[in-house]
Amino acid sequence: GGTAVRSVLTDSFGRVRARGEGGPANINFVSASDARRAFEHALAPIRRANGSVAAAVVAGPHLPPEISDLISRSTKTEKIVIIDEYEAALAAGLEKLGKWGVVLASGTGSFCKGRNASGAEKYSGGWGPICGDEGSAYDIGRMALCAVAGASDGRGPATALAHTLPIHLSCKNITALKRRLYRPPLPRHTIAALAVLVSDAAEKGDAVAAEPD
């Protein structure tokens, strides 16, 4: 997804035999080469396990052919099942709860999916940063940048974020921050990572960081 790609190798009894992790791999927001490197890192422990893999199940956005080929070579299986990430999240969440319930996921992006007792399902969200991602780390990071811009211009209240965000992004001042945002544009996962700074500022009593909107 937008935050990371993770791999888990299990045996026929469901016992975990290997785990791996790579960087952001949502092809809608990162380059094909970055997505490939993320999968290579995540699959490295699986390759080292040297086992016979019955099937590879991939939960996430659409995968380009080269990523599917990489997964096939790394797992030594021709059977690759691709499902939506919300399907996987709902299945995992309901594993011990029963056949119905709701999963609300908020990472770099956000989405919600539910299933009622009769089996009917409903999905909401997952629209990305242009017209969705409400409550996600990206949304919080974007609003933090807006708050810093408003504080700098005098259009909004003062906030400690005006000091911490430029430092975090290796900017000497607000002018440098303005350039840093667009030359080249900040990656989606970099903006999402600012949510940690917002949480820290809120815990220290910053009123702007604590605002829900």
Side-chain angles (χ1 to χ4, degrees), residues 94 98-101 114-122:
L94 298 184
K99 296 182 179 180
W100 61 272
R115 181 189 302 137
N116 65 19
S118 64
E121 297 183 349
K122 183 67 176 180

Side-chain angles (χ1 to χ4, degrees), residues 84-173:
D84 290 315
E85 59 183 325
Y86 44 83
E87 294 286 353
L90 185 62
L94 298 184
E95 180 182 5
K96 296 181 180 180
L97 297 178
K99 296 182 179 180
W100 61 272
V102 174
V103 60
L104 178 62
S106 180
T108 300
S110 64
F111 64 83
C112 178
K113 180 164 185 173
R115 181 189 302 137
N116 65 19
S118 64
E121 297 183 349
K122 183 67 176 180
Y123 175 78
S124 176
W127 284 90
I130 294 178
C131 51
D133 281 355
E134 297 91 338
S136 68
Y138 174 87
D139 194 37
I140 294 171
R142 181 191 62 79
M143 289 190 293
L145 289 169
C146 291
V148 169
S152 173
D153 291 350
R155 296 180 286 110
T159 171
L161 297 172
H163 174 69
T164 57
L165 262 63
I167 292 176
H168 176 79
L169 295 172
S170 301
C171 299
K172 294 181 179 179
N173 50 45

Side-chain angles (χ1 to χ4, degrees), residues 9-194:
L9 176 67
T10 67
D11 62 19
S12 57
F13 298 99
R15 294 173 298 201
V16 175
R17 297 303 187 186
R19 293 179 183 271
E21 183 170 344
N26 188 329
I27 198 64
N28 294 320
F29 303 105
V30 301
S31 67
S33 59
D34 285 343
R36 182 183 181 84
R37 280 192 293 271
F39 271 92
E40 287 174 343
H41 283 298
L43 290 169
I46 310 301
R47 289 195 300 269
R48 291 194 292 269
N50 291 322
S52 176
V53 178
V57 180
V58 186
H62 170 74
L63 294 178
E66 59 267 24
I67 298 296
S68 296
D69 292 341
L70 173 63
I71 294 171
S72 180
R73 291 194 304 272
S74 298
T75 59
K76 300 177 183 178
T77 181
E78 295 298 324
K79 186 176 181 180
I80 300 177
V81 181
I82 300 176
I83 62 176
D84 290 315
E85 59 183 325
Y86 44 83
E87 294 286 353
L90 185 62
L94 298 184
E95 180 182 5
K96 296 181 180 180
L97 297 178
K99 296 182 179 180
W100 61 272
V102 174
V103 60
L104 178 62
S106 180
T108 300
S110 64
F111 64 83
C112 178
K113 180 164 185 173
R115 181 189 302 137
N116 65 19
S118 64
E121 297 183 349
K122 183 67 176 180
Y123 175 78
S124 176
W127 284 90
I130 294 178
C131 51
D133 281 355
E134 297 91 338
S136 68
Y138 174 87
D139 194 37
I140 294 171
R142 181 191 62 79
M143 289 190 293
L145 289 169
C146 291
V148 169
S152 173
D153 291 350
R155 296 180 286 110
T159 171
L161 297 172
H163 174 69
T164 57
L165 262 63
I167 292 176
H168 176 79
L169 295 172
S170 301
C171 299
K172 294 181 179 179
N173 50 45
I174 292 296
T175 301
L177 174 63
K178 187 181 295 186
R179 291 194 296 266
R180 177 78 173 86
L181 293 177
Y182 304 106
R183 302 180 189 174
L186 279 182
R188 183 166 170 259
H189 59 276
T190 299
I191 294 176
L194 299 178

